[in-house]
Amino acid sequence: MSALASQTINDPHVQLRRLYTSLLEEQNRFDEFKQLLALYPVTDSDEESEEAQSIRAKLNARINDWLCGHFDGLSAAQVTLWRSIVVEERINVALSPWKESNVY
Amino acid sequence: MRWGDARPTLLCLPSPMNSIDALYAGFVSTLPEALLPLARSLPHTLGLAPTEQATWSDVFSHPVTLEAPHLFAAAFPGAGPEQVRSAVLAHALSVIEAFGTDRIADGQVRATTELTSLLVELRRGRDAILEDLSPGLGDVARAADRETNEAILEENALLRRLGAATFEEYRRISLAKQAVGFPASVALARSAGATEVEQELVRRTLAGVWLGLQFEDDATDWEDDWRRGGGAWAVSLARRRLESVSDQPADERPTEPDLVRRRVHRMRVLHSMLRGARHQYRTAWRYARVLGAVPILRWAEQRMKHLDVVIPLEGRHAGYVVRAMKLAPWAREILT
């Protein structure tokens, strides 16, 4: 693998885009992703509980499978953000979800 | 009714007129005192906005949805700014009223006395403007109300019993539902001296616009429609297609969400709906070109360009368009 290719694969933004594409392309992945996110407990505490860590580890392992490796893993903050969008459908509510046929 | 709505990113329309919010505010100021709070927060009351402060321009990002006559104005140099403003307001009142009626019909909103009175005022205001703009168009608008309402009832009945539907039925009912979206633009054309042929071109252009938006929206939002319990076109179209390939009635009533989704995906109806939308935009583009309605032509081009990207993806990955919609807020936050 060239240095450039390696650099690209390690780019977190590229990794997230690959995850996004992978979810768009496969309903089963999208469903499983959503189910695991729904299991992730949300608390006010800054500390991630053991249970949350374990679910996040499982989620990251599944993403790694889907992307055939080269995925550094979602942080606790990223999982929370994904959860609020995919499960609770409430992120950015002032801008988008109630609009019809938003840009996709 | 879904006056579908995706913000065009490249299209920049000239806007020499007051904003739709200013026009609506002007109309509201003519209403009886008791109706003012409801009229001002109507987008919220109809479940189209999360806050009472949201305005109509916040709700609909397609200029064509509430301002269709404005987009035709370029084709009719005889139409003065005041005529255009009147036609836009009449059109907006029609669409808003139809939204209210639809939300009541499908049970999403309760028909309170106040709301019913406000809908009457919206119709009354619209009819007065249209009559002033082009005598006789008030009657046309009232006939359009009836056509839209009947189509809404027919749609609700068909979808709720999970009836199998052909694309031709889908197109027919959808077009009838959009009847209220025509009179104001026709009134503007007529007031500007348009010929019968030109008025017909306006109707055909709008038919393409409204059907394109409707098909696109019904494909994207079908899971939400289904979840609300009123059925969904994608499900009824899939059922018809399943019957035609299996040569027997698909008369079971699947209620398990995954099963319904699998059927919709397997029958590739979302792909067909998006292709139908693209065809309608192409129709709108063709007639807009003949008319010289450049803003609509450009808008239709943008929609076609967008669908040219999405349709192959939906073809390869069934349900792509729905998942893309669900992930859109994340993509906007993180990937842009």
Side-chain angles (χ1 to χ4, degrees):
Chain A
M1 184 186 295
S2 70
L4 183 61
S6 164
Q7 216 172 17
T8 304
I9 280 174
N10 291 329
D11 180 342
H13 198 75
V14 171
Q15 292 182 3
L16 287 175
R17 188 169 282 281
R18 287 172 61 225
L19 168 59
Y20 172 66
T21 305
S22 141
L23 295 173
L24 286 179
E25 290 181 349
E26 182 58 59
Q27 185 70 44
N28 290 338
R29 283 180 203 155
F30 184 89
D31 290 341
E32 188 177 353
F33 185 68
K34 188 172 176 177
Q35 280 161 8
L36 286 168
L37 286 176
L39 292 174
Y40 190 78
V42 179
T43 60
D44 292 334
S45 163
D46 288 342
E47 291 253 330
E48 190 183 29
S49 69
E50 269 185 37
E51 183 197 2
Q53 282 177 32
S54 146
I55 291 166
R56 185 160 62 87
K58 190 173 177 189
L59 178 64
N60 283 328
R62 291 301 293 137
I63 295 171
N64 233 350
D65 286 346
W66 299 333
L67 304 186
C68 304
H70 305 296
F71 187 75
D72 294 343
L74 296 175
S75 66
Q78 285 174 313
V79 172
T80 304
L81 177 66
W82 275 102
R83 191 185 192 286
S84 64
I85 292 167
V86 177
V87 179
E88 297 158 28
E89 299 181 0
R90 69 186 169 95
I91 196 76
N92 205 16
V93 75
L95 291 177
S96 57
W98 43 279
K99 286 197 177 219
E100 308 214 325
S101 293
N102 273 288
V103 179
Y104 49 86
Chain B
M1 174 174 304
R2 269 168 216 87
W3 296 78
D5 220 13
R7 187 177 294 280
T9 50
L10 301 176
L11 182 65
C12 218
L13 289 166
S15 192
M17 60 197 311
N18 289 339
S19 74
I20 193 64
D21 298 327
L23 288 172
Y24 181 72
F27 165 76
V28 169
S29 69
T30 68
L31 293 173
E33 189 77 24
L35 292 178
L36 294 182
L38 176 62
R40 288 183 182 129
S41 60
L42 195 54
H44 179 253
T45 303
L46 296 182
L48 296 164
T51 65
E52 291 191 352
Q53 288 71 38
T55 61
W56 289 112
S57 64
D58 291 330
V59 177
F60 299 110
S61 46
H62 275 307
V64 71
T65 306
L66 288 182
E67 301 182 39
H70 180 211
L71 275 67
F72 279 107
F76 301 109
E82 193 52 46
Q83 285 163 294
V84 177
R85 271 194 291 273
S86 294
V88 168
L89 178 57
H91 175 76
L93 296 179
S94 267
V95 173
I96 293 166
E97 194 278 338
F99 248 113
T101 301
D102 186 42
R103 296 271 155 150
I104 290 171
D106 72 9
Q108 288 188 60
V109 173
R110 203 162 57 85
T112 60
T113 313
E114 258 191 327
L115 180 56
T116 308
S117 304
L118 180 56
L119 296 182
V120 169
E121 293 291 343
L122 291 169
R123 288 194 292 272
R124 191 178 293 159
R126 174 204 64 191
D127 293 350
I129 296 168
L130 288 179
E131 275 300 322
D132 194 39
L133 204 54
S134 180
L137 257 294
D139 288 340
V140 173
R142 282 187 287 278
D145 281 342
R146 288 191 291 277
E147 190 178 352
T148 293
N149 292 342
E150 284 164 15
I152 288 171
L153 293 176
E154 186 179 2
E155 177 186 55
N156 286 346
L158 188 147
L159 299 186
R160 281 196 178 133
R161 66 178 153 82
L162 310 186
T166 63
F167 267 86
E168 191 42 50
E169 286 168 307
Y170 176 40
R171 185 188 183 284
R172 177 183 60 77
I173 295 173
S174 297
L175 188 57
K177 263 178 43 174
Q178 312 296 336
V180 296
F182 295 79
S185 296
V186 172
L188 178 69
R190 201 181 279 184
S191 74
T195 63
E196 283 296 330
V197 171
E198 287 171 326
Q199 292 172 45
E200 183 56 26
L201 286 172
V202 169
R203 288 188 199 95
R204 291 186 184 196
T205 304
L206 281 175
V209 168
W210 300 143
L211 286 176
L213 286 169
Q214 182 79 49
F215 293 171
E216 208 182 331
D217 211 59
D218 286 341
T220 307
D221 284 350
W222 81 266
E223 290 192 10
D224 292 338
D225 295 337
W226 178 254
R227 239 194 326 264
R228 278 197 292 268
W233 277 110
V235 177
S236 287
L237 292 167
R239 184 172 180 183
R240 177 71 183 85
R241 199 168 267 188
L242 182 66
E243 286 177 357
S244 67
V245 293
S246 65
D247 208 23
Q248 56 187 0
D251 55 4
E252 78 275 26
R253 296 170 64 85
T255 50
E256 198 262 306
D258 286 351
L259 184 64
V260 177
R261 186 193 288 131
R262 275 201 297 274
R263 179 182 285 183
V264 167
H265 287 183
R266 204 170 58 242
M267 294 295 112
R268 297 171 56 82
V269 287
L270 302 181
H271 186 247
S272 298
M273 291 164 86
L274 294 177
R275 287 180 57 188
R278 208 246 180 233
H279 174 74
Q280 294 300 331
Y281 291 138
R282 170 76 189 172
T283 302
W285 180 89
R286 225 173 46 232
Y287 288 119
R289 190 177 57 163
V290 178
L291 260 178
V294 176
I296 291 206
L297 182 145
R298 297 276 176 251
W299 177 85
E301 277 174 355
Q302 290 300 321
R303 295 319 300 158
M304 288 192 285
K305 204 181 283 183
H306 170 68
L307 287 179
D308 286 343
V309 174
V310 175
I311 290 170
L313 291 167
E314 178 61 42
R316 285 198 295 275
H317 313 285
Y320 182 98
V321 70
V322 179
R323 295 188 292 277
M325 177 57 75
K326 288 178 178 171
L327 295 178
W330 182 88
R332 270 197 296 274
E333 288 278 323
I334 308 297
L335 298 181
T336 55

